[in-house]
Amino acid sequence: MKLLTFAHRGEAQAFLSAYTFKPITFFFDGLLKSDDYYLLITGEGPHSASEKTTAVLAKFNDEISEVFNIGVAGSLNSKLKLHDLLWIRTAYAHHAEKLEFKSFTSQTDNALTDCITAYSRVLEIAEKTKLSHFANIVDRELWAIASSARLFKKPYRALKIISDDLQNLNTDICSFVKEEAPLLSTKLLLEFQKSESSPLLKQERIEE
């Protein structure tokens, strides 16, 4: 059984409609289960994502075989545009003006896009430019989720959809996800289902 993780319920809404998920009584809200998947709403940010993913993996370790992180990310590359879908190769993290020592490589064949997780929201173009030296996209959760998966020796995969382009900022991601949720979530679901039926994914390389 696979664990699907989302920061916000809006990102997961198409998945909740496509599969019959039922809430699980747990230490916190946001954990659901279907016949084939666990689904976890982690909340925004690496701390919440790490704590909740780790708790779920500790409790259901024997049942969960793989961890997915699915949701929005900001572009750090001029070739990436709004609503582009990307499978992630490696997760990095940036905290307190430094790059975290550890990185985590996913199990997605042929993925060529790297993602850097920021511990705070990226609110300046200059910050985007600095992070662009390390990865093509930025999010708030992936590195923490990948770290939890590594702790429990679970492979991970990550699918992201672009929420803004390099020269723009989305300073209110919660409102954006709420407004754009039907489209974003449907695109993520269709790409996820395609990967489930054909795990060999092909993507064009993004030039640095």
Side-chain angles (χ1 to χ4, degrees):
M1 186 170 287
K2 298 172 182 178
L3 171 62
L4 313 182
T5 64
F6 301 81
H8 303 277
R9 186 172 288 269
E11 295 163 303
Q13 68 175 245
F15 293 76
L16 294 169
S17 297
Y19 306 105
T20 305
F21 282 101
K22 295 181 180 180
I24 295 176
T25 301
F26 201 51
F27 300 107
F28 45 76
D29 295 333
L31 180 63
L32 305 96
K33 185 180 180 181
S34 71
D35 290 340
D36 299 307
Y37 305 107
Y38 281 97
L39 188 150
L40 173 64
I41 307 299
T42 66
E44 184 179 336
H47 295 298
S48 179
S50 176
E51 291 171 354
K52 292 185 176 181
T53 305
T54 298
V56 171
L57 288 174
K59 176 66 175 179
F60 303 104
N61 182 54
D62 292 340
E63 297 179 52
I64 295 172
S65 60
E66 187 175 12
V67 179
F68 277 75
N69 178 231
I70 302 169
V72 302
S75 171
L76 300 176
N77 187 297
S78 61
K79 294 192 175 183
L80 294 177
K81 304 303 179 185
L82 187 68
H83 297 167
D84 280 353
L85 288 158
L86 300 161
W87 288 93
I88 306 308
R89 175 177 57 186
T90 303
Y92 300 95
H94 189 263
H95 182 44
E97 302 300 318
K98 296 187 298 183
L99 189 69
E100 292 282 356
F101 175 71
K102 291 183 179 179
S103 62
F104 302 101
T105 300
S106 77
Q107 298 299 307
T108 305
D109 294 330
N110 301 321
L112 297 169
T113 302
D114 296 332
C115 178
I116 190 162
T117 294
Y119 274 68
S120 58
R121 290 187 179 183
V122 179
L123 301 176
E124 302 289 342
I125 296 295
E127 182 70 9
K128 267 194 169 189
T129 301
K130 180 169 62 178
L131 295 177
S132 70
H133 297 296
F134 306 108
N136 290 305
I137 64 175
V138 58
D139 86 332
R140 297 289 320 285
E141 295 82 29
L142 175 56
W143 186 88
I145 291 167
S147 178
S148 295
R150 173 69 65 83
L151 179 65
F152 289 90
K153 298 181 173 58
K154 308 294 183 184
Y156 89 89
R157 290 196 242 175
L159 171 62
K160 298 293 184 177
I161 189 166
I162 297 300
S163 62
D164 56 31
D165 62 37
L166 180 62
Q167 296 304 317
N168 290 289
L169 291 169
N170 195 327
T171 57
D172 191 351
I173 192 63
C174 294
S175 295
F176 172 78
V177 169
K178 184 176 181 180
E179 294 170 3
E180 298 287 320
L183 176 62
L184 295 172
S185 192
T186 297
K187 285 179 173 289
L188 288 166
L189 174 65
L190 293 174
E191 180 66 16
F192 172 78
Q193 290 177 327
K194 183 166 57 175
S195 78
E196 290 288 86
S197 62
S198 179
L200 294 178
L201 300 169
K202 295 183 179 179
Q203 293 187 333
E204 294 184 2
R205 186 177 186 86
I206 299 170
E207 297 297 334
E208 301 295 340

